[in-house]
């Protein structure tokens, strides 16, 4: 499997999942997500998928500063509607990592480990997303904006060629390389693209 090598340099998100421990999937319920994991699930790497990963990493680091985040113990809210913009794409990535879902998630075992109804859209917040620990009620708002990391000027004319079907194989390859270079630069400039605010 070939992919951009910078994927392997991105900080992983370490979680503890009591359900996975009970069901014998992972020793002590401990495992981690990589950026490559979410790229495989999303089917692509872009500023939106990167942003969802970055927001989750930043929020969980703030909510669980000295311990693994507890998967299934995190509520996530979005100001946008599920069908608005890229909210659904972001929600899917965050759901994969946190376990939070709207109404479609796991209903639990004997009243424990439920994952449904932990993700909400159209929330009364003024941020990209709000993450809340269910056990303590502590919340953080996360703002993500990739605009400070601009695309290469060559990308737009290449995209126009791709859209019209006139791009050569070399131009297709160049477009992909430039696209992933921007994603790489977003990860290299985290302080410019993400902000975490305690609620």
């Amino acid at each position: 499997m070939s992919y951009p090598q910078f994927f392997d340099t991105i900080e992983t998100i370490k979680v503890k999942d009591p359900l996975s421990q009970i069901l014998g999937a992972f020793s002590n319920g401990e495992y981690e997500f990589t950026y490559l994991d979410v790229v495989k699930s999303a089917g692509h790497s872009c500023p939106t998928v990167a942003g969802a990963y970055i927001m989750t990493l930043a929020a969980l680091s703030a909510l669980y500063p000295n311990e693994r985040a507890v998967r299934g113990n995190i509520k996530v809210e979005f100001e946008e509607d599920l069908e608005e913009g890229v909210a659904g794409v972001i929600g899917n990535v965050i759901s994969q990592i946190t376990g939070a879902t709207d109404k479609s998630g796991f209903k639990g075992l004997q009243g424990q480990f439920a994952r449904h109804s932990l993700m909400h859209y159209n929330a009364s917040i003024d941020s990209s997303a709000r993450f809340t620990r269910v056990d303590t009620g502590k919340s953080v708002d996360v703002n993500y904006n990739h605009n400070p990391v601009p695309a290469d000027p060559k990308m737009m004319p290449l995209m126009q060629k791709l859209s019209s079907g006139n791009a050569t194989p070399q131009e297709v390859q160049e477009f992909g390389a430039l696209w992933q270079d921007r994603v790489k630069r977003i990860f290299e400039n985290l302080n410019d693209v993400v902000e975490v605010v305690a609620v």
Side-chain angles (χ1 to χ4, degrees):
M1 182 172 61
S2 177
Y3 56 88
Q5 291 308 296
F6 78 87
F7 289 5
D8 292 334
T9 69
I10 296 168
E11 182 178 352
T12 61
I13 300 176
K14 297 178 174 62
V15 300
K16 185 176 181 67
D17 189 336
L19 176 62
S20 74
Q21 181 178 5
I22 291 293
L23 298 181
F26 296 99
S27 177
N28 297 319
E30 295 181 351
Y31 54 97
E32 58 193 83
F33 289 94
T34 67
Y35 183 60
L36 178 59
D37 289 331
V38 301
V39 169
K40 287 191 286 187
S41 293
H44 66 287
S45 167
C46 69
T48 298
V49 171
Y53 188 90
I54 288 167
M55 285 193 291
T56 308
L57 174 62
L60 299 187
S61 296
L63 291 174
Y64 297 87
N66 301 307
E67 57 185 317
R68 288 174 177 262
V70 180
R71 193 167 188 268
N73 186 49
I74 302 148
K75 181 173 76 170
V76 185
E77 299 167 272
F78 301 101
E79 183 180 25
E80 293 181 314
D81 183 81
L82 171 61
E83 297 180 0
E84 183 179 351
V86 294
V89 176
I90 293 171
N92 286 340
V93 172
I94 294 176
S95 177
Q96 179 185 353
I97 299 169
T98 65
T101 66
D102 48 14
K103 297 178 181 179
S104 62
F106 183 59
K107 301 300 186 286
L109 288 174
Q110 301 295 314
Q112 298 184 69
F113 312 119
R115 305 289 169 82
H116 69 92
S117 302
L118 287 175
M119 183 168 283
H120 304 275
Y121 296 85
N122 299 309
S124 298
I125 61 173
D126 186 23
S127 62
S128 300
R130 176 173 292 173
F131 293 72
T132 302
R133 284 182 58 158
V134 174
D135 58 344
T136 66
K138 180 180 179 182
S139 298
V140 293
D141 278 359
V142 183
N143 292 298
Y144 170 73
N145 176 19
H146 55 69
N147 290 331
V149 182
D152 189 291
K154 291 185 288 186
M155 284 185 63
M156 185 55 68
L158 285 170
M159 181 178 286
Q160 291 171 346
K161 283 192 171 185
L162 283 168
S163 300
S164 65
N166 293 321
T168 67
Q170 292 77 17
E171 288 171 330
V172 172
Q173 186 174 9
E174 182 183 10
F175 178 81
L178 291 173
W179 184 277
Q180 292 309 318
D181 176 70
R182 186 184 185 202
V183 176
K184 179 175 182 285
R185 287 186 287 115
I186 287 172
F187 277 105
E188 291 173 342
N189 293 275
L190 293 181
N191 291 337
D192 295 330
V193 300
V194 69
E195 176 190 30
V196 179
V197 181
V199 177

